[in-house]
Amino acid sequence: MKLRRIAGALGAEIEAVDLAARLSPDAVAEIRRAFLEHQVIFFRDQPLAPAQFMAFARHMGRPIEYPFVKGIEGFAEVIEVRKLEHERQNFGGIWHSDTAYLAEPPMGSMLLAREVPPYGGDTEFASQYAAYEALSEGMRRLLDGLKAVNASSKADATRTREELTRQKEIVAEYVAEHPVVRTHPETGRKALYVNVGHTVRFSGMSEEESAPLLAFLFRHQVRPEFTCRFQWRAGSLAFWDNRCTQHNPVNDYHGHRRVMHRITLAGDKPR
Ligand code: SIN
């Protein structure tokens, strides 16, 4: 296995590994270590069948169903993330950490590219360790004691999900309160844990009172120096850590198809 970092704050491509083959315990441990260290890892040329994709996901965590979207035929935990030629909205088309409105948001997510547009459709990732660590001591002290309310109904996130939610008959609203700064349960590092897609207000404060500081954090946490950007090819696979990163799929390929398969891995209550 060879590893190549793609940016200063986060992101590494892992080369010379075939995820369809039986992975040794050492290989699994090496991939998990790289995931924890680099926060998002990428693989090329992995045209895995859904069962192979699930097998790899099971090595890294426990696949779970996505709350709003049905899985593909035969695989409840694999959802199709697609934008077709005539569509304008893309799935999750805003900076976010996945489903932060759940009481136990997912540890990580995996995305496998099936069909990619001739240009564009990259995904950006931002390190929330780097974002937290770049704040002043005074701001860190203030944020360390705060919680925030995250809601699935927050307008932008809901709109971008509409294309796919059509498949589900019942769409519940989820709301969860989480620390604004969470401590990663495996690395022990602190990360900012608010996001513009889901975070509505600080706990115990109104939306209006929360807005100025949240607006600052939403801008700050995706500064270019905290990010990396991944250009997909069919068969590329990304695996990101939702506990310390955010991501944003760039919607710059209108008129072209982009089809991905996604698996979400169970997480725990942020602390
Ligand atoms: C998502 O899971 O939020 C979508 C990411 C992407 O399509 O690049």
Side-chain angles (χ1 to χ4, degrees):
M1 240 180 261
K2 276 188 0 207
L3 190 138
R4 189 175 61 80
R5 288 177 64 172
I6 68 163
L10 79 171
E13 251 187 72
I14 298 184
E15 296 163 1
V17 59
D18 176 6
L19 300 179
R22 182 183 291 269
L23 291 175
S24 68
D26 282 354
V28 170
E30 200 177 335
I31 294 171
R32 200 103 202 342
R33 264 198 309 275
F35 166 73
L36 290 177
E37 182 177 347
H38 298 285
Q39 307 158 55
V40 52
I41 52 176
F42 307 101
F43 303 86
R44 297 287 188 188
D45 306 315
Q46 308 287 340
L48 307 179
Q52 294 171 317
F53 189 23
M54 278 293 287
F56 174 56
R58 283 201 191 95
H59 278 306
M60 297 294 138
R62 181 167 61 83
I64 50 171
E65 287 187 35
Y66 189 85
F68 291 97
V69 185
K70 272 191 195 154
I72 62 171
E73 188 69 38
F75 297 90
E77 299 93 345
V78 182
I79 62 164
E80 191 161 273
V81 169
R82 63 168 181 266
K83 181 176 172 231
L84 302 179
E85 289 83 341
H86 65 279
E87 292 178 313
R88 305 296 284 183
Q89 296 286 354
N90 62 340
F91 177 84
I94 190 168
W95 278 106
H96 65 284
S97 171
D98 286 326
T99 54
Y101 44 77
L102 298 179
E104 295 192 349
M107 172 271 277
S109 307
M110 292 182 174
L111 198 63
L112 173 57
R114 298 290 186 200
E115 289 181 61
V116 296
Y119 54 80
D122 297 355
T123 305
E124 301 173 301
F125 297 86
S127 168
Q128 298 309 294
Y129 293 144
Y132 175 73
E133 287 159 12
L135 293 168
S136 65
E137 201 193 316
M139 180 59 85
R140 275 185 267 147
R141 208 176 319 118
L142 169 70
L143 297 178
D144 277 343
L146 292 179
K147 287 190 168 188
V149 175
N150 299 274
S152 61
S153 59
K154 196 174 175 192
D156 284 349
T158 306
R159 262 200 303 277
T160 57
R161 221 175 21 236
E162 269 171 10
E163 302 296 300
L164 288 160
T165 55
R166 264 194 242 113
Q167 301 170 45
K168 283 233 163 158
E169 282 152 31
I170 301 163
V171 178
E173 197 207 347
Y174 297 91
V175 179
E177 198 180 72
H178 295 308
V180 168
V181 177
R182 70 182 291 184
T183 302
H184 194 291
E186 293 183 81
T187 66
R189 292 177 71 185
K190 286 184 172 184
L192 262 185
Y193 196 63
V194 290
N195 77 81
V196 69
H198 306 134
T199 309
V200 181
R201 60 181 175 82
F202 295 109
S203 305
M205 295 186 207
S206 68
E207 288 188 30
E208 195 181 359
E209 288 166 336
S210 307
L213 182 50
L214 280 180
F216 162 73
L217 293 174
F218 294 156
R219 270 196 318 276
H220 167 82
Q221 65 190 166
V222 297
R223 271 168 39 186
E225 62 270 36
F226 308 147
T227 70
C228 69
R229 181 168 176 140
F230 187 64
Q231 202 170 24
W232 297 92
R233 299 198 296 258
S236 301
L237 192 156
F239 175 26
W240 62 85
D241 190 333
N242 281 304
R243 301 164 295 186
C244 57
T245 68
Q246 293 194 23
H247 55 282
N248 175 43
V250 181
N251 193 6
D252 60 349
Y253 55 97
H254 295 326
H256 298 287
R257 275 170 90 86
R258 182 177 182 272
V259 181
M260 324 288 271
H261 280 176
R262 202 186 105 136
I263 297 177
T264 309
L265 299 172
D268 59 3
K269 189 171 162 45
R271 292 179 203 285

